[in-house]
Amino acid sequence: MASQLVRRLARSRLDGILSSSSPNPSFFNRSFSSESNLIRATLFPGDGIGPEIAESVKQVFRTADVPIEWEEHYVGTEIDPRTQSFLTWESLESVRRNKVGLKGPMATPIGKGHRSLNLTLRKELNLYANVRPCYSLPGYKTKYDDVNLVTIRENTEGEYSGLEHQVVRGVVESLKIITRQASLRVAEYAFFYAKAHGRERVSAIHKANIMQKTDGLFLKCCREVAEKYPEIVYEEVVIDNCCMMLVKNPALFDVLVMPNLYGDIISDLCAGLIGGLGLTPSCNIGEGGVALAEAVHGSAPDIAGKVCIKETLILYS
Amino acid sequence: MSHRSFSILKRVITHHPNSSHLLSSQRSVTYMPRPGDGAPRPVTLIPGDGIGPLVTGAVEQVMEAMHAPVHFEKYEVHGDMKQVPQEVLDSIRKNKVCLKGGLMTPVGGGVNSLNMQLRKELDLYASLVNCFNLPGLPTRHENVDIAVVRENTEGEYSGLEHEVVPGVVESLKVITKFCSERIAKYAFEYAYLNGRKKVTAVHKANIMKLADGLFLESCREVATKYPGIKYNEIIVDNCCMQLVSRPEQFDVMVTPNLYGNLVANTAAGIAGGTGVMPGGNAGADYAVFEQGASAGNVGNTNLVEQRRANPIALLLSSAMMLRHLQFPSFADRLETAVKHVISEGKYRTKDLGGDSTTQQVVDAVVAALD
């Protein structure tokens, strides 16, 4: 039943995309012109239920006649010295070449001396924006039925820089870094996305009344980019207001752009609004037009193929 | 010392919404005052900005109608002042209790938040927001009864920022064992004294291993001293997701500063909105009561002009204040009246789905007082 629903959705979305005029932006460096053009994409099936989901994705795509050719790469069992992790150099090169990828859930094996797989991917491919569209699925009833928003989260800096140290015993400092370059990058992407998808409003989420310089810089960058897109309404919302409005009336928001930590929390909150992480697509955008869609959940054994379908839809959007 | 524990005991009996309903029908003599306890207590009142004067005015009216033994010492403080005036601080230090409307913090510009300043000066390290479903108010979620205890002085809101080079800004998040321990102690003590069963610590220690790790360590240590109370930990993004899908699993939540802000506002939103949730800030010596969740406590110009701000939150906070001052039956009367007005549904402000003005709601509450 789920696969039927999904097939219907996939077909309708595909029709929508192939029929509408698609822009040829610098972010997505591939041509979208005719159906005979085969798109090569890298697929990381991942662990746990990953391979199962990957199979169902491939099946759905085959049924929907999507012109895509998958290059599968598996996570190795030993550390590749060129990447310092379990991901091989070939896998990374493949993503860089194809510019499009789909990643299943990857469980980072516990051990010493290597980076987490997700972190490796993020750093090597310079994935700076995490895009999560959240819309209420027809047919899956939650307490919120009118959710239709996209959260765009800065993925590289902010509170998750990992720079912590113990000053003296019992006192710990953690650095939150905001740079102009990263903020501009993610703001540009957010506005570009809004324009490309016909979204009307972009809201920047911040706490600049307390963190004046850091979130102030983020806001300044967003404002600069907003001036270049006069047709899109731009607003700034303090994060506690945003949380409250999201749970009371999620229809108020359209596209949300945020620094790292707020983005993490708000995107998971939005995922909760529509039914959980099992139903949320997510895509990481990197420099040079790389797009890596992923499963946000873990390798849990009890989730059906719903997730990857949504991600592949976002791959096309 | 016994004086204080007496009042805390009263708070236990009368705080829980269900039990207050019970008491009003029983009418037994539960509070034996000492001679002179009925003398009017002075309380500092800060109307604040925006809708602040409107809602504090509402509280004043209701207090007068009840003949409550409090008299307010009003002080004008506005969000664009450089710092809180010394006379206000002296007054709060003398009275030990304060009721405050919202103070607006200008966005992005060099004035330090006065709310933060007040909290640091008076060392109000615990911020409590009590989010619960009000009977008669339709919300998407049922069975919500969450108390969010939020560390109020350090964490991400330390205000320590600087520009490293042009275009790169750093902000320090400071977590100390001292502050984490005392907020954990407050949370468990609150749970113990109010008959709560579970305390949940909210953190992001998988990413911020040292900082939130220290916070969690302190919570765990305190948890061992309260074996009767269940303790668990939850990552903040999962927490927000659970709050919007199954909020009934949470009881008392203890969080550092930033997460507390978000969690409190989310919890307030799911339980009916920030216009109705009471809250307060407490320290070792002083207590300042204000509208629970911080979102929208200044309101916008529309609300001020049309005088349609929601006074319920501040009224319930002032009920908490009355209990803190050991006037439990006044607190009960006020809460019962407010709940009656809400459940009736005739006089509700815009954020609750009605279109009454502040004054109409206040009049309804005064009329409902017995």
Side-chain angles (χ1 to χ4, degrees), chain A residues 10-58:
Chain A
R11 206 169 300 233
S12 64
R13 279 285 247 172
L14 219 50
D15 288 336
I17 295 209
L18 291 174
S19 58
S20 65
S21 59
S22 35
N24 210 2
S26 58
F27 280 105
F28 287 94
N29 227 351
R30 57 182 201 258
S31 54
F32 232 120
S33 35
S34 67
E35 276 172 276
S36 58
N37 251 356
L38 212 56
I39 300 173
R40 296 180 64 87
T42 314
L43 174 66
F44 293 101
D47 310 308
I49 52 168
E52 209 181 291
I53 303 181
E55 268 314 306
S56 29
V57 170
K58 288 197 273 193

Side-chain angles (χ1 to χ4, degrees), chain A residues 52 141 172:
Chain A
E52 209 181 291
K141 187 100 181 64
V172 175

Side-chain angles (χ1 to χ4, degrees), chain B residues 94-243:
Chain B
K94 175 173 67 83
N95 298 334
K96 310 253 186 256
V97 176
C98 169
L99 185 67
K100 144 172 161 337
L103 288 173
M104 177 143 81
T105 312
V107 172
V111 180
N112 279 323
S113 159
L114 286 185
N115 291 313
M116 286 295 301
Q117 229 181 54
L118 206 60
R119 287 177 197 140
K120 286 213 171 114
E121 283 286 326
L122 302 170
D123 200 24
L124 302 168
Y125 63 85
S127 162
L128 176 75
V129 181
N130 193 4
C131 307
F132 50 90
N133 276 129
L134 283 167
L137 189 62
T139 53
R140 286 188 173 108
H141 304 268
E142 305 294 316
N143 279 329
V144 180
D145 192 1
I146 303 176
V148 181
V149 177
R150 161 192 171 194
E151 208 287 326
N152 226 352
T153 53
E154 54 169 24
E156 296 83 349
Y157 293 0
S158 314
L160 300 159
E161 303 179 291
H162 65 285
E163 191 167 24
V164 183
V165 290
V168 179
V169 186
E170 260 180 19
S171 167
L172 286 175
K173 161 180 167 164
V174 181
I175 300 267
T176 57
K177 187 150 173 66
F178 174 65
C179 290
S180 307
E181 217 175 78
R182 66 181 183 174
I183 192 68
K185 282 198 184 127
Y186 186 85
F188 276 93
E189 200 177 47
Y190 175 88
Y192 170 59
L193 291 171
N194 281 288
R196 301 282 200 160
K197 306 281 181 316
K198 193 160 80 161
V199 173
T200 309
V202 179
H203 66 96
K204 189 80 186 173
N206 49 349
I207 308 276
M208 293 195 257
K209 302 188 172 87
L210 285 182
D212 285 351
L214 182 57
F215 179 77
L216 281 185
E217 220 182 270
S218 320
C219 289
R220 282 180 204 139
E221 274 173 35
V222 178
T224 54
K225 303 203 178 91
Y226 290 85
I229 299 181
K230 284 205 278 237
Y231 167 73
N232 64 351
E233 301 167 355
I234 188 170
I235 301 187
V236 61
D237 41 14
N238 192 10
C239 169
C240 284
M241 212 173 354
Q242 298 294 326
L243 267 176

